[in-house]
Amino acid sequence: MSPRNHHQFVFPDDSRYDDARQAWNLAADLRPAVVVLPTSVDDVVAAVEYAGERDLRIVVQGTGHGASVHAALDGTLLLNMRELCAVEIDVENRRARVEAGALWEDVVLPATEHGLTALHGSSPNVGIVGYSLGGGIGWLARAHGLSAESVLAVELVTADGTLVRADRTQNTDLFWALRGGGGGLGVVVAMEIARYAVEELVAGMLIWPWERSSEVLTRYAAWAQTAPSSVSTSARLLQIPPLPDIPEELRGRQIVVIDGAVLGSEGEANEILAPFRELGPEIDTFGPVPAAALIRLHMDPEPPMPGIGDGVMVDDLDAEAVAAIVGTAGPDTGSPLIMVELRQLGGALRERKPGAGVLGALDGSFAFYALGSPMGPGVGEAVEQRIVALKQALAPWSRGKPYLNFAEKRVAIGDAIGAEAFARLERVKASVDPDGRFRAGHLFAPATGTAAEGAVAA
Ligand SMILES: Cc1cc2nc3c(=O)[nH]c(=O)nc-3n(C[C@H](O)[C@H](O)[C@H](O)COP(=O)(O)OP(=O)(O)OC[C@H]3O[C@@H](n4cnc5c(N)ncnc54)[C@H](O)[C@@H]3O)c2cc1C
């Protein structure tokens, strides 16, 4: 059958093209030569062979939450995996097999009735595969590590159209390379991931008016240096848009928020959170919750939206660092940003375990991330400039090292994983994709050196 007649191949002259090329991030305007929406592994193989015959590059998309790193995609076949999304949960062996288009909520919500969860992040509808290929930090990360490290097996279609399985016993180099290097090695058609039993869990949010940003963030930065690994949190400055689906008490407000989860009893959580409660939050929702509650704790936007964001990892922060953040994007700065975030790292995220994948661990203290939405004339440029200003203001506390999932400007993968790991990753890439057919979101390039020197990549 000619692809022109095949309903899964969508060309620019097809009325379905705009829907098929659409990414979750509406600011990404992807215009590939053809989009393929596979519903089986055979379809994936057919698409890879088609691209090979016509010398097209291949970009794979789960949801397009990370799509802002792609250029227009000329001469590219976009594999949109959204229809290949089955999930099988194996309660007894505490694992799940998820196909490439599966979202976190597809696997987390059905399993929580068995007391099991997975290492999901803050958004229910980010793709499990894209998230895990880039690392993956969520509410259990400081206790259990990166999502990439919870991957047990990967099923991958390589550039020659072969389906291979990579796990701890077969294709072990490939298995190493697929855990945290950002992809670009083939089409992941499915992953097996570990599930985690959760007995006692306390989670919630603490909220203050953003006039108190300096005080709250200074306390947060100091607290984070000795916090136990049972707690994983985030601290954010938020300028919440006045949208109708936002709870009334938060709609249109400017606030400083600490949210997160403690794996432990309410008593343990109270002790851990005491330094923040001393600051008298206006809203305090921390309390015992079922594991399923974590998936919407952060109140991330779920419908597609246009976003311009970027991030970098930073080391321990002091009062001066907090002043740099608040003075650039806090009260009275005219900041156009919706969100400025510090995600707490450390704990298990800092420990590289034997047999770890290419990323293995994150050596920063926080993953810094800032976001705006280019709604209205000139807002996009203002957002871009403010994010660059923030990264510059934080340069003294940063080694410029990106965390791939929060880097929304294209960075060199070598800067995220280090020179030695990149050299090994290049050997794996040469073995499965010798012609460089697959494009990851980030640049498949060695460390630029800027990360180590602490320079800021705008
Ligand atoms: C609202 C929001 C909340 C987020 N929260 C978190 C969080 O809590 N923690 C965190 O770590 N990150 C978080 N992220 C970042 C997110 O993990 C990355 O954007 C991730 O890349 C998204 O994966 P995706 O598959 O949904 O997106 P996509 O843009 O579809 O995929 C990202 C990249 O992954 C690769 N890829 C995806 N699927 C495949 C496949 N089947 N085969 C081969 N390669 C593939 C491709 O290179 C693609 O460019 C968040 C992002 C947003 C927008």
Side-chain angles (χ1 to χ4, degrees):
M1 190 186 332
S2 141
R4 277 252 160 215
N5 301 326
H6 194 300
H7 74 278
Q8 280 136 357
F9 282 70
V10 181
F11 293 88
D13 59 2
D14 190 312
S15 61
R16 298 168 301 159
Y17 182 71
D18 279 342
D19 172 62
R21 74 187 179 91
Q22 186 61 65
W24 181 89
N25 186 341
L26 300 176
D29 186 17
L30 310 180
R31 296 188 173 273
V34 55
V35 189
V36 183
L37 296 120
T39 56
S40 68
V41 173
D42 285 349
D43 292 345
V44 173
V45 172
V48 170
E49 285 172 352
Y50 177 87
E53 284 155 16
R54 284 156 184 83
D55 201 21
L56 297 172
R57 302 233 173 261
I58 301 174
V59 161
V60 192
Q61 176 169 298
T63 68
H65 274 78
S68 63
V69 291
H70 296 298
L73 301 188
D74 297 348
T76 301
L77 180 150
L78 177 67
L79 260 170
N80 184 334
M81 305 300 285
R82 72 184 182 202
E83 290 177 18
L84 197 65
C85 57
V87 166
E88 293 157 41
I89 295 170
D90 177 351
V91 175
E92 204 177 318
N93 295 305
R94 291 194 182 170
R95 52 204 286 160
R97 178 181 180 277
V98 299
E99 289 186 342
L103 311 178
W104 272 119
E105 66 180 341
D106 299 336
V107 73
V108 168
L109 298 181
T112 48
E113 66 194 68
H114 306 288
L116 296 176
T117 191
L119 301 187
H120 64 84
S122 59
S123 162
N125 63 352
V126 156
I128 300 166
V129 168
Y131 175 93
S132 304
L133 286 172
I137 48 176
W139 299 123
L140 305 182
R142 286 169 33 86
H144 291 306
L146 292 165
S147 175
E149 293 300 321
S150 80
V151 174
L152 303 170
V154 182
E155 297 163 37
L156 183 87
V157 172
T158 57
D160 63 1
T162 313
L163 175 66
V164 296
R165 181 183 166 91
D167 60 24
R168 286 201 191 281
T169 60
Q170 54 191 314
N171 295 308
T172 48
D173 263 10
L174 183 57
F175 184 53
W176 169 84
L178 286 162
R179 287 176 290 149
L185 300 170
V187 188
V188 175
V189 290
M191 271 183 175
E192 287 174 25
I193 58 170
R195 313 304 309 264
Y196 294 80
V198 173
E199 276 152 28
E200 284 187 295
L201 181 69
V202 175
M205 277 191 172
L206 300 164
I207 299 178
W208 297 259
W210 88 329
E211 288 69 26
R212 298 190 61 193
S213 298
S214 297
E215 191 189 355
V216 171
L217 291 188
T218 304
R219 175 75 54 102
Y220 181 69
W223 167 89
Q225 293 183 26
T226 57
S229 55
S230 56
V231 61
S232 300
T233 60
S234 143
R236 286 176 293 170
L237 304 184
L238 288 178
Q239 300 197 80
I240 302 173
L243 300 174
D245 53 349
I246 292 170
E248 203 181 328
E249 66 274 17
L250 299 177
R251 196 180 304 149
R253 288 196 59 195
Q254 295 164 310
I255 52 177
V256 53
V257 183
I258 294 173
D259 60 353
V262 179
L263 270 174
S265 68
E266 198 171 10
E268 285 161 336
N270 288 343
E271 209 169 300
I272 291 169
L273 299 169
F276 304 126
R277 288 190 166 133
E278 278 169 13
L279 296 180
E282 177 190 317
I283 298 176
D284 177 353
T285 66
F286 269 93
V289 292
L294 291 188
I295 203 146
R296 289 193 161 80
L297 173 71
H298 212 48
M299 294 192 187
D300 277 356
E302 294 178 40
M305 64 164 268
I308 296 176
D310 204 13
V312 68
M313 288 205 291
V314 294
D315 295 319
D316 283 347
L317 300 178
D318 52 19
E320 213 183 318
V322 169
I325 298 172
V326 177
T328 309
D332 305 321
T333 60
S335 166
L337 303 179
I338 297 173
M339 177 171 101
V340 176
E341 175 165 20
L342 293 169
R343 277 283 175 105
Q344 190 187 1
L345 305 178
L349 286 170
R350 215 188 278 274
E351 295 158 21
R352 173 176 292 278
K353 302 223 168 71
V358 50
L359 184 57
L362 291 170
D363 65 0
S365 299
F366 300 98
F368 169 81
Y369 176 76
L371 174 78
S373 188
M375 297 208 212
V379 181
E381 293 80 47
V383 167
E384 300 268 10
Q385 284 164 9
R386 194 67 61 132
I387 294 175
V388 170
L390 268 168
K391 286 174 70 180
Q392 275 164 352
L394 276 172
W397 297 273
S398 160
R399 284 166 283 145
K401 210 171 172 185
Y403 165 52
L404 290 179
N405 280 0
F406 284 2
E408 295 195 8
K409 302 283 172 219
R410 187 169 272 179
V411 295
I413 289 174
D415 279 336
I417 63 174
E420 206 181 310
F422 187 78
R424 184 174 168 197
L425 186 62
E426 260 186 315
R427 292 195 292 275
V428 177
K429 171 100 171 158
S431 71
V432 289
D433 184 20
D435 300 328
R437 174 112 12 246
F438 288 98
R439 278 279 158 87
H442 290 293
L443 208 58
F444 195 84
T448 59
T450 52
E453 289 155 24
V456 176

